[in-house]
Amino acid sequence: MTDSKYFTTNKKGEIFELKAELNNEKKEKRKEAVKKVIAAMTVGKDVSSLFPDVVNCMQTDNLELKKLVYLYLMNYAKSQPDMAIMAVNSFVKDCEDPNPLIRALAVRTMGCIRVDKITEYLCEPLRKCLKDEDPYVRKTAAVCVAKLHDINAQMVEDQGFLDSLRDLIADSNPMVVANAVAALSEISESHPNSNLLDLNPQNINKLLTALNECTEWGQIFILDCLSNYNPKDEREAQSICERVTPRLSHANSAVVLSAVKVLMKFLELLPKDSDYYGTLLKKLSPPLVTLLSGEPEVQYVALRNINLIVQKRPEILKQEIKVFFVKYNDPIYVKLEKLDIMIRLASQANIAQVLAELKEYATEVDVDFVRKAVRAIGRCAIKVEQSAERCVSTLLDLIQTKVNYVVQEAIVVIRDIFRKYPNKYESIIATLCENLDSLDEPDARAAMIWIVGEYAERIDNADELLESFLEGFHDESTQVQLTLLTAIVKLFLKKPSETQELVQQVLSLATQDSDNPDLRDRGYIYWRLLSTDPVTAKEVVLSEKPLISEETDLIEPTLLDELICHIGSLASVYHKPPNAFVEGSHGIHRKHLPIQHGSIDTGESPVSTGPTAALDQPQVIPSQGDLLGDLLNLDLGPPVNVPQVSSMQMGAVDLLGGGLDSLVSPKPCIFSVSQILKKVFVRVFWSQVLLRLHCFVFLCSFGVIPTTPLPIHTPLMPNQSIDISLPLSTIGPVMKMDPLNNLQVAVKNIIDVFYFSCLIPLNIFFVEDGKMERQVFLVTWKDIPNENELQYQIKECHLNADTVSGKLQNNNIFTIAKRNVEGQDMLYQSLKLTNGIWILAELRIQPGNPNYTLKIGASLFLSLQAYRPIDRSSVYKVVLEGCQT
Amino acid sequence: MIGGLFIYNHKGEVLISRVYRDDIGRNAVDAFRVNVIHARQQVRSPVTNIARTSFFHVKRSNIWLAAVTKQNVNAAMVFEFLYKMCDVMTAYFGKISEENIKNNFVLIYELLDEILDFGYPQNSETGALKTFITQQGIKSQTKEEQSQITSQVTGQIGWRREGIKYRRNELFLDVLESVNLLMSPQGQVLSAHVSGRVVMKSYLSGMPECKFGMNDKIVIDKQGKGGTADDAGKSGKQSIAIDDCTFHQCVRLSKFDSERSISFIPPDGEYELMRYRTTKDIILPFRVIPLVREVGRTKLEVKVVIKSNFKPSLLAQKIEVRIPTPLNTSGVQVICMKGKAKYKASENAIVWKIKRMAGMKESQISAEIELLPTNDKKKWARPPISMNFEVPFAPSGLKVRYLKVFEPKLNYSDHDVIKWVRYIGRSGIYETRC
């Protein structure tokens, strides 16, 4: 018997006929009819009008028929809530059935019916099923709690189902455990702050035991849940890792990837010099390679994840570049991803092989792939200096093929090669110029124009070439127009005698005939510059340009860390945080890599571990920042005084006829500060003019660094000011400043680099978890050597102990204990800095006396000794002053 | 988790649609059809995001399977589930085709209800599923039978049911390898690896405890320490270094991790026990020696020698050598010592086929290729010469040392089990540059 006939139903009177059949006396006929209904439902026909007739068929011993009716109910109950009540009795009865399969079926289906009245009836059966003797029923009931939570979260909490679910984590059956973990994980996503899962060492142990015994899917649920756990110390992290590593040999790639996620996260907690750390890194590589022999879709997921892993820990796969060579039969999405990883892994050792491969790829059929391969050759040249020459000659070979898109792509990357190695490969310009006519894409045209402008003195007919572009100036894209303007100005400055007419032409085209504000502004700037002082103009326009750096396409480090926490999931496939593509409350909670704790209990060496953990982060500064980072290091290596801005200014050039003073005295000041999550937002504000801002670098004792480039895209007008909010994180390079809360800032604009310094209120570096355990506090306080302690008087503070304590708490200074000695209030307090340093304090307040006595000590393992005592007290001063106002 | 699962035919008509989550509406079915199945250009990614809804798809012949979600699900798991879904359907009704799916749609709905609950994959081993999803309704089962089913579905050994009986206990082991090579014209190995699979067919009674042993270097070295020096020296040569391996879920991974022993209770019937990869000391069954000479601008002389490099008593089969020719080839003359060779203009290659060839032999082909004069500046890229073959041994050197079977409850011993082992080595991408 075949069922396909149900898909071909006659059109007219269909519903009517079905109705008749559903009420037929014969069981078989009724079953046939229900099948027809389901087939119609699948195809998208509305068969909701048959609701009562279908529900009538529910009372049956035939399980197949029952399942079909349930399927129908799940689909249509919502549209017919009143009718759906008819089914309740049958459900409740089935939940008592002696057959566990039927009990489970009933509770499973009931959870899928989103009708309030039915949900009410669900509670009792569900409670029973959660304690059923049969594991099959229990595992189904566990999932049902998640279903119910989706319909009515309050009810789940009120009825105590969450506790029942937690009890199931200790169940004897591994599958029940796995489903309970899955359900709890999902529920806890919508309650980010509650510790629903209650991950403690005992529970973790239960999960790890179940991990060995449950189905492949259960293993995935458990591993994904484990990855959210923060082990208390490295020993615990290591023991969990040891029990997770066997999963790397599982045939199911999702099990492998979830295990990789756990290991990548916990690696953060292991000391880098331990043997185990090295062994673990070695163990990670083979399974990742094996994932590439799976089916293409899984390969794709694996490659997207490997892309992240390679950026986070390049050492894992650096020997394995060959496995990322593209195979002829790979689907295009696999090919493109492999190419990306190949470039990331390219190094001096393997560059010859990589280049040979890339050259092969550039002759393939798929246009996107070929373009990417050509671009990759350019990136190799920029990344591995020794290979630059070979890359250039390969690119030239490719240009000889005259394949249009290959030529254009090649010219774009050659421009970048010139920017990295200026004055090295100009000999090839002649070849490039031959292809001028075939360029029809803006990117390629702009690149070619840039090259001509930059090397105008060595190209005999540069003026002719640029003039040819000028003819259709207004039809070009903005990008090409801007480049052309700059190129002609460069040409003019290099060969003033022959090109005066040309430059006038382009300036008038850009300023008078164009509506584009960027183009006009740039045109006017050049015009003024040229008319005021050509010598200076030459210095400005033809000044030596910074070299470009290779790692421009890295994922920004905080995002990378977040994505590492999502290995295997959709976020890792999209390379986007979950809140970018998930609606509602799910997944909004952001994940962080665990941070190695300041070792309170180990206390081995006096070197503080906090700041090193911060330094372990890869030092990726958003692309343009790189260069400035270098500049700063050069200029400010030792903590010398910040060069004063005005003295650093280049010889006073009055570019805009009188605006110079306003140019050189911009002062950023920190305007308002707030702490959101672990990020510090600093609002910077300029009172004066800056021209177009290029980039922005911070240097301070706490490693404050902006996480995004400066979000200013249009140039500022004279005397215009702008407020910018810049998200900051504390993972940047650390340099001890004097005073401690000094922040040095460098801003680069067209004219030069400007340096400022300003004071950050120290209290923004106090973290929320700065509350020390009472016991720990006592011990630490006693252990603080005298030379680490400091007495300080705070004058004129008219507050009582409780208000002070409250205000300090708002600033993350926590009162651990309070006692009253001889009429004086003694407050014992602790705070923790973002770099893991603990500071303890005793505050003595005498009622009626506006002067407080403050005794501060830093815990023994700190390098705080190096700081001048005044800094420590200033910590408090800052806060208390804040309190008074 | 998975919010819904749809199956479409090649035209984009829905054959199966099952929604698990409230956030997935009927319009999701159409969104996938319009944006993916009916899309003009080739599929650029197996994951598509349309209006904040993510679609995962796989294709089997001309059937599309799509899983839909609005959450940040485990992407690898969704694909593994879709593959598993295909396996289960194949196990129930054979090939996945439109006709078969329509014929079994009730069964498919029943399966989807069982193996995916609220979007969470549940036990999906066909061995277990077949005990209670039968398409015949549940016949009056005894209480014992019912609890046996549920304990198997939720149990630790979900892939095997109790009470299997065979009159003859028998098992077959196939070691299937594919050997990949890229060699320079001078005979230098640029890259070589073997990817292998051990496929087992077991027809064993009861719940047999199995232990599989092979000449894994790590194991042999460990044993070698205890044994005599002679032993270690002898076995050292025969053991192989395995880069990585993965196992069927029946294998106890923690035991493999700690002792490197492979122990398991096998599923009934055919399944893949393990996959592995090796890159060291690979026996390359054939060596290809190319010689290309350009005689003027319109003629090429090609001579290719193949040498078989294994025991003379063994026979290689289905040998095929593919020699690429330039695009402007006008005529080819070939002479070969053995087999048949033909110039195939449509494939731009000379294809040389030999049915059988023994080990330590050598054969040769020579060809004269006439070229049309062209003004194409682009040089001929000289694609590599590729080879296909099948040999009756494992090129990685892997040897099955034992497969022990223990069934304590039933009275048959390891000696009563009839065991068969077979090795097949096939060419993967086996290329020599010329």
Side-chain angles (χ1 to χ4, degrees):
Chain A
M1 185 196 75
T2 67
D3 287 345
S4 59
K5 60 174 183 278
Y6 301 116
F7 279 87
T8 52
T9 42
N10 41 345
K11 313 285 169 290
K12 270 183 193 164
E14 185 191 350
I15 299 278
F16 183 76
E17 270 176 36
L18 280 173
K19 206 178 179 79
E21 282 177 48
L22 282 169
N23 291 310
N24 197 298
E25 282 167 21
K26 281 186 193 152
K27 247 192 203 169
E28 271 310 303
K29 279 274 180 205
R30 289 208 298 267
K31 192 166 143 189
E32 300 269 291
V34 176
K35 279 190 185 180
K36 279 185 199 164
V37 172
I38 300 290
M41 188 177 88
T42 300
V43 200
K45 280 180 198 149
D46 184 17
V47 283
S48 59
S49 58
L50 295 169
F51 200 90
D53 309 282
V54 176
V55 171
N56 272 338
C57 301
M58 195 171 167
Q59 303 284 0
T60 172
D61 307 332
N62 186 317
L63 198 63
E64 190 190 357
L65 180 57
K66 189 172 262 202
K67 282 181 177 175
L68 288 172
V69 175
Y70 281 177
L71 188 62
Y72 179 90
L73 267 175
M74 284 187 264
N75 258 305
Y76 286 115
K78 223 165 127 192
S79 58
Q80 310 256 348
D82 295 331
M83 304 278 240
I85 298 298
M86 290 163 55
V88 166
N89 260 335
S90 169
F91 278 127
V92 175
K93 213 176 93 202
D94 278 358
C95 286
E96 306 278 339
D97 198 279
N99 186 341
L101 291 172
I102 292 185
R103 291 202 295 277
L105 179 66
V107 78
R108 183 164 70 210
T109 313
M110 243 174 133
C112 295
I113 297 177
R114 305 174 66 93
V115 174
D116 287 342
K117 282 178 194 151
I118 292 204
T119 320
E120 284 167 28
Y121 286 99
L122 175 60
C123 291
E124 277 321 301
L126 177 58
R127 200 186 312 283
K128 264 187 214 153
C129 287
L130 279 165
K131 299 209 158 59
D132 200 286
E133 52 169 22
D134 194 293
Y136 184 79
V137 180
R138 289 200 302 275
K139 72 112 184 163
T140 311
V143 176
C144 190
V145 175
K147 291 178 188 170
L148 188 58
H149 185 269
D150 194 39
I151 303 171
N152 190 339
Q154 197 56 46
M155 187 189 275
V156 170
E157 279 172 45
D158 296 347
Q159 298 276 341
F161 286 136
L162 293 180
D163 294 323
S164 319
L165 208 49
R166 255 189 300 246
D167 292 343
L168 289 184
I169 290 186
D171 200 282
S172 58
N173 184 294
M175 194 157 175
V176 177
V177 179
N179 276 4
V181 166
L184 275 173
S185 300
E186 180 167 345
I187 293 171
S188 68
E189 258 178 45
S190 43
H191 302 268
N193 297 320
S194 65
N195 189 11
L196 262 184
L197 268 159
D198 190 22
L199 291 176
N200 54 39
Q202 288 92 23
N203 274 343
I204 292 292
N205 202 26
K206 281 174 200 154
L207 293 186
L208 286 167
T209 313
L211 185 62
N212 285 325
E213 294 165 351
C214 63
T215 65
E216 46 193 333
W217 314 115
Q219 296 184 17
I220 300 169
F221 305 151
I222 291 178
L223 287 168
D224 283 350
C225 171
L226 273 179
S227 73
N228 289 328
Y229 176 64
N230 280 325
K232 64 176 191 304
D233 55 25
E234 57 184 69
R235 209 178 310 142
E236 193 185 7
Q238 177 169 343
S239 85
I240 295 175
C241 287
E242 277 165 0
R243 295 177 69 178
V244 166
T245 29
R247 299 298 120 199
L248 294 174
S249 308
H250 202 286
N252 186 317
S253 64
V255 176
V256 177
L257 271 176
S258 291
V260 169
K261 164 163 61 186
V262 175
L263 298 175
M264 281 293 285
K265 267 191 96 170
F266 289 5
L267 263 176
E268 299 286 320
L269 294 169
L270 300 175
K272 282 202 152 173
D273 43 1
S274 68
D275 289 345
Y276 185 69
Y277 182 87
T279 334
L280 196 53
L281 276 187
K282 271 192 210 115
K283 277 195 180 164
L284 276 171
S285 141
L288 287 173
V289 173
T290 301
L291 288 178
L292 299 182
S293 52
E295 304 238 16
E297 291 87 5
V298 157
Q299 277 188 51
Y300 175 74
V301 175
L303 285 164
R304 293 292 284 175
N305 280 289
I306 289 172
N307 199 329
L308 299 173
I309 293 168
V310 163
Q311 288 182 58
K312 181 73 190 166
R313 298 189 181 275
E315 62 272 31
I316 294 178
L317 286 163
K318 66 170 187 268
Q319 305 292 346
E320 303 287 353
I321 192 161
K322 275 188 191 169
V323 300
F324 298 104
F325 287 177
V326 170
K327 289 189 194 132
Y328 185 74
N329 298 330
D330 284 336
I332 182 68
Y333 49 80
V334 169
K335 284 183 177 175
L336 292 171
E337 291 308 315
K338 281 187 173 175
L339 201 49
D340 247 354
I341 296 168
M342 267 171 76
I343 302 162
R344 293 208 195 288
L345 292 176
S347 67
Q348 204 185 332
N350 55 30
I351 195 74
Q353 270 180 310
V354 173
L355 264 183
E357 285 290 315
L358 291 176
K359 206 175 164 183
E360 289 280 315
Y361 305 161
T363 59
E364 284 225 22
V365 191
D366 189 284
V367 176
D368 280 353
F369 181 60
V370 172
R371 281 175 175 272
K372 201 164 182 178
V374 175
R375 228 174 303 147
I377 297 176
R379 272 167 68 188
C380 284
I382 293 167
K383 192 169 179 197
V384 187
E385 186 163 358
Q386 293 81 354
S387 74
E389 197 151 345
R390 246 182 302 170
C391 295
V392 170
S393 77
T394 309
L395 287 170
L396 276 185
D397 287 350
L398 290 173
I399 288 177
Q400 301 297 358
T401 62
K402 304 276 181 202
V403 179
N404 192 284
Y405 53 84
V406 175
V407 174
Q408 310 212 39
E409 203 65 49
I411 286 185
V412 173
V413 295
I414 286 178
R415 190 244 340 249
D416 289 340
I417 294 177
F418 281 150
R419 291 172 66 199
K420 170 80 179 180
Y421 311 108
N423 304 320
K424 225 173 153 186
Y425 300 108
E426 320 80 73
S427 53
I428 66 170
I429 291 174
T431 324
L432 302 184
C433 290
E434 285 167 21
N435 293 288
L436 214 57
D437 299 333
S438 62
L439 308 179
D440 52 12
E441 291 161 20
D443 273 352
R445 286 170 84 84
M448 193 64 221
I449 293 170
W450 185 89
I451 294 172
V452 174
E454 190 67 17
Y455 293 95
E457 70 274 28
R458 309 186 204 190
I459 306 172
D460 294 337
N461 60 344
D463 49 343
E464 282 169 37
L465 294 176
L466 292 177
E467 200 173 358
S468 68
F469 283 103
L470 209 53
E471 280 159 20
F473 189 77
H474 289 299
D475 303 328
E476 300 282 0
S477 69
T478 312
Q479 182 195 8
V480 178
Q481 290 175 332
L482 286 169
T483 324
L484 188 55
L485 171 64
T486 307
I488 294 182
V489 171
K490 283 182 192 164
L491 171 71
F492 170 70
L493 290 168
K494 288 175 179 175
K495 300 180 183 173
S497 51
E498 311 133 48
T499 55
Q500 211 152 7
E501 207 174 303
L502 194 61
V503 81
Q504 295 228 309
Q505 208 180 337
V506 77
L507 286 174
S508 80
L509 277 173
T511 53
Q512 283 154 24
D513 302 342
S514 168
D515 294 334
N516 183 317
D518 284 351
L519 187 60
R520 289 177 76 148
D521 289 357
R522 201 191 281 192
Y524 278 124
I525 293 171
Y526 280 134
W527 204 324
R528 291 239 173 108
L529 205 51
L530 293 172
S531 56
T532 319
D533 183 351
V535 181
T536 315
K538 201 163 180 173
E539 268 177 57
V540 173
V541 178
L542 302 182
S543 66
E544 208 166 288
K545 279 160 218 74
L547 305 183
I548 59 167
S549 75
E550 70 262 32
E551 307 289 13
T552 44
D553 57 341
L554 289 179
I555 293 175
E556 184 268 315
T558 44
L559 176 60
L560 179 63
D561 285 354
E562 193 183 345
L563 292 178
I564 290 285
C565 302
H566 288 291
I567 284 178
S569 77
L570 259 182
S572 72
V573 173
Y574 292 145
H575 288 185
K576 281 181 193 157
N579 55 353
F581 58 91
V582 173
E583 277 166 3
S585 58
H586 289 293
I588 293 305
H589 180 59
R590 307 194 69 174
K591 295 191 180 181
H592 303 278
L593 283 181
I595 299 163
Q596 222 169 19
H597 307 292
S599 38
I600 298 177
D601 34 7
T602 49
E604 315 136 344
S605 62
V607 186
S608 72
T609 44
T612 46
L615 276 175
D616 287 343
Q617 302 290 335
Q619 301 258 348
V620 189
I621 304 171
S623 54
Q624 330 93 306
D626 247 29
L627 147 88
L628 260 186
D630 282 343
L631 277 177
L632 278 175
N633 286 340
L634 276 179
D635 290 343
L636 306 171
V640 289
N641 276 339
V642 188
Q644 276 312 300
V645 173
S646 41
S647 62
M648 281 286 288
Q649 240 338 294
M650 31 186 292
V653 202
D654 197 351
L655 296 178
L656 300 167
L660 194 66
D661 284 347
S662 55
L663 261 177
V664 292
S665 55
K667 273 258 180 249
C669 58
I670 289 178
F671 198 60
S672 65
V673 183
S674 63
Q675 253 179 305
I676 298 169
L677 288 174
K678 281 184 181 166
K679 283 187 177 165
V680 186
F681 285 84
V682 177
R683 190 154 173 227
V684 187
F685 155 85
W686 278 269
S687 56
Q688 303 288 343
V689 180
L690 282 181
L691 287 172
R692 195 185 187 95
L693 293 162
H694 280 293
C695 44
F696 201 57
V697 164
F698 284 66
L699 207 58
C700 93
S701 325
F702 293 92
V704 167
I705 192 175
T707 53
T708 55
L710 201 59
I712 302 182
H713 303 295
T714 47
L716 296 182
M717 295 314 287
N719 288 320
Q720 186 199 351
S721 71
I722 187 169
D723 287 356
I724 305 155
S725 285
L726 202 57
L728 303 179
S729 66
T730 53
I731 55 164
V734 174
M735 180 173 288
K736 209 195 121 217
M737 289 294 153
D738 192 8
L740 207 55
N741 55 339
N742 193 12
L743 172 71
Q744 293 189 351
V745 180
V747 179
K748 194 195 174 202
N749 66 15
I750 281 182
I751 298 165
D752 203 343
V753 182
F754 296 85
Y755 301 96
F756 322 103
S757 66
C758 57
L759 295 178
I760 312 179
L762 246 184
N763 53 328
I764 67 166
F765 293 111
F766 302 171
V767 295
E768 291 102 312
D769 60 347
K771 186 157 187 167
M772 203 178 244
E773 294 275 315
R774 247 164 196 266
Q775 292 301 322
V776 184
F777 184 90
L778 259 173
V779 177
T780 324
W781 185 251
K782 274 186 206 149
D783 285 352
I784 294 175
N786 280 338
E787 64 269 24
N788 269 10
E789 287 188 357
L790 184 93
Q791 290 253 4
Y792 187 75
Q793 288 278 331
I794 299 169
K795 297 210 167 75
E796 296 301 322
C797 198
H798 299 276
L799 293 165
N800 67 22
D802 287 334
T803 352
V804 167
S805 158
K807 290 208 174 203
L808 290 175
Q809 174 120 19
N810 288 341
N811 285 291
N812 289 337
I813 301 176
F814 299 91
T815 306
I816 309 291
K818 184 184 157 185
R819 67 186 171 131
N820 197 300
V821 184
E822 299 160 356
Q824 293 182 331
D825 279 324
M826 311 275 281
L827 296 177
Y828 291 94
Q829 299 174 313
S830 75
L831 65 95
K832 193 177 154 195
L833 297 171
T834 48
N835 55 7
I837 294 180
W838 286 92
I839 294 174
L840 311 181
E842 178 195 68
L843 189 62
R844 188 177 304 171
I845 302 174
Q846 218 164 3
N849 184 352
N851 296 348
Y852 301 167
T853 313
L854 178 66
K855 199 163 133 196
I856 299 183
S859 36
L860 63 164
F861 47 84
L862 299 181
S863 52
L864 196 68
Q865 241 173 328
Y867 299 157
R868 284 192 315 170
I870 188 73
D871 297 330
R872 276 174 277 155
S873 62
S874 68
V875 169
Y876 258 71
K877 208 169 125 202
V878 168
V879 178
L880 286 175
E881 274 162 9
C883 299
Q884 278 171 322
T885 50
Chain B
M1 283 303 118
I2 299 174
L5 206 138
F6 309 129
I7 303 180
Y8 301 85
N9 66 8
H10 67 287
K11 282 185 261 173
E13 292 163 355
V14 209
L15 304 178
I16 298 285
S17 106
R18 174 75 159 95
V19 173
Y20 294 93
R21 295 270 173 147
D22 201 39
D23 53 5
I24 302 298
R26 182 82 202 172
N27 51 358
V29 182
D30 302 323
F32 182 76
R33 175 187 26 247
V34 173
N35 288 290
V36 181
I37 302 182
H38 291 171
R40 294 246 172 85
Q41 66 291 49
Q42 199 194 348
V43 180
R44 300 307 268 198
S45 161
V47 186
T48 324
N49 194 313
I50 307 163
R52 288 190 155 233
T53 309
S54 300
F55 295 80
F56 300 76
H57 73 264
V58 300
K59 234 183 139 185
R60 289 288 179 272
S61 62
N62 53 13
I63 296 295
W64 299 74
L65 280 91
V68 199
T69 181
K70 283 206 165 183
Q71 289 175 298
N72 181 29
V73 296
N74 187 320
M77 183 186 80
V78 177
F79 281 124
E80 287 287 348
F81 177 78
L82 288 174
Y83 300 149
K84 194 57 154 222
M85 178 75 208
C86 294
D87 290 349
V88 171
M89 288 197 290
T90 316
Y92 267 94
F93 52 76
K95 196 172 166 274
I96 296 177
S97 64
E98 181 172 352
E99 203 195 343
N100 277 344
I101 287 175
K102 280 186 171 172
N103 281 340
N104 294 285
F105 83 97
V106 175
L107 167 72
I108 296 174
Y109 276 124
E110 204 178 333
L111 285 170
L112 281 177
D113 197 43
E114 185 58 43
I115 60 180
L116 208 52
D117 190 5
F118 200 42
Y120 291 110
Q122 305 291 308
N123 191 335
S124 43
E125 287 301 314
T126 37
L129 289 172
K130 279 191 171 170
T131 57
F132 67 107
I133 296 186
T134 51
Q135 274 293 284
Q136 269 135 46
I138 289 194
K139 284 170 261 155
S140 51
Q141 289 157 325
T142 63
K143 199 145 193 238
E144 287 77 60
E145 279 170 341
Q146 287 165 2
S147 73
Q148 204 185 335
I149 290 171
T150 58
S151 79
Q152 198 207 328
V153 174
T154 60
Q156 294 181 21
I157 308 155
W159 53 86
R160 188 181 179 93
R161 65 190 166 88
E162 301 249 10
I164 297 172
K165 279 215 174 71
Y166 288 101
R167 275 178 58 205
R168 205 158 98 121
N169 288 301
E170 200 170 15
L171 66 86
F172 301 83
L173 269 181
D174 283 349
V175 177
L176 307 171
E177 296 196 337
S178 105
V179 50
N180 298 277
L181 169 78
L182 185 63
M183 190 176 254
S184 77
Q186 291 74 35
Q188 187 192 0
V189 177
L190 297 174
S191 77
H193 76 270
V194 168
S195 54
R197 307 187 298 142
V198 178
V199 175
M200 182 171 172
K201 264 180 256 177
S202 70
Y203 304 105
L204 301 169
S205 312
M207 292 300 243
E209 183 68 45
C210 297
K211 213 172 160 188
F212 174 67
M214 52 186 181
N215 54 342
D216 177 359
K217 197 167 184 225
I218 298 176
V219 177
I220 305 261
D221 286 357
K222 228 193 256 171
Q223 291 168 348
K225 271 179 208 157
T228 60
D230 186 39
D231 258 5
K234 217 171 97 190
S235 57
K237 240 184 236 166
Q238 289 167 351
S239 64
I240 62 161
I242 291 177
D243 288 24
D244 187 38
C245 44
T246 59
F247 296 99
H248 185 267
Q249 63 164 322
C250 66
V251 176
R252 294 183 189 93
L253 294 178
S254 41
K255 215 158 179 194
F256 177 74
D257 196 58
S258 56
E259 303 162 24
R260 223 171 155 88
S261 76
I262 302 165
S263 62
F264 54 95
I265 295 172
D268 195 39
E270 184 171 341
Y271 72 102
E272 189 179 285
L273 175 65
M274 71 178 280
R275 273 174 190 242
Y276 56 92
R277 200 161 43 83
T278 73
T279 46
K280 291 196 187 74
D281 303 323
I282 294 169
I283 306 158
L284 297 169
F286 284 95
R287 165 92 203 273
V288 177
I289 305 159
L291 198 74
V292 182
R293 204 159 68 92
E294 288 177 39
V295 187
R297 296 203 52 191
T298 56
K299 203 169 150 190
L300 274 178
E301 279 180 13
V302 180
K303 198 171 104 176
V304 176
V305 179
I306 59 168
K307 283 184 181 168
S308 56
N309 177 32
F310 44 89
K311 269 192 242 161
S313 57
L314 298 175
L315 274 181
Q317 290 184 315
K318 300 176 190 165
I319 301 151
E320 185 185 288
V321 181
R322 188 171 279 267
I323 305 162
T325 55
L327 295 174
N328 55 337
T329 302
S330 62
V332 175
Q333 264 142 22
V334 272
I335 309 161
C336 56
M337 288 159 57
K338 217 176 165 195
K340 280 180 190 158
K342 232 186 211 166
Y343 167 60
K344 293 197 172 164
S346 59
E347 296 166 34
N348 286 312
I350 299 166
V351 180
W352 176 24
K353 285 184 180 172
I354 304 169
K355 274 197 186 129
R356 266 177 222 95
M357 188 164 166
M360 303 318 262
K361 288 265 167 32
E362 179 174 323
S363 190
Q364 185 184 324
I365 184 172
S366 42
E368 276 185 24
I369 303 171
E370 308 269 343
L371 302 174
L372 289 171
T374 57
N375 47 9
D376 195 0
K377 273 188 211 152
K378 197 182 158 190
K379 259 180 74 188
W380 179 46
R382 287 203 185 181
I385 296 173
S386 59
M387 250 198 108
N388 287 315
F389 54 79
E390 199 179 291
V391 289
F393 62 89
S396 69
L398 183 129
K399 288 259 156 40
V400 177
R401 290 172 59 220
Y402 55 81
L403 198 145
K404 292 177 194 153
V405 182
F406 309 95
E407 168 54 72
K409 282 189 197 146
L410 302 173
N411 54 350
Y412 69 91
S413 76
D414 187 39
H415 302 291
D416 303 332
V417 180
I418 305 159
K419 301 169 190 168
W420 307 85
V421 183
R422 178 166 70 154
Y423 299 89
I424 300 173
R426 291 198 183 92
S427 52
I429 296 167
Y430 201 88
E431 294 178 334
T432 307
R433 291 195 174 141
C434 58

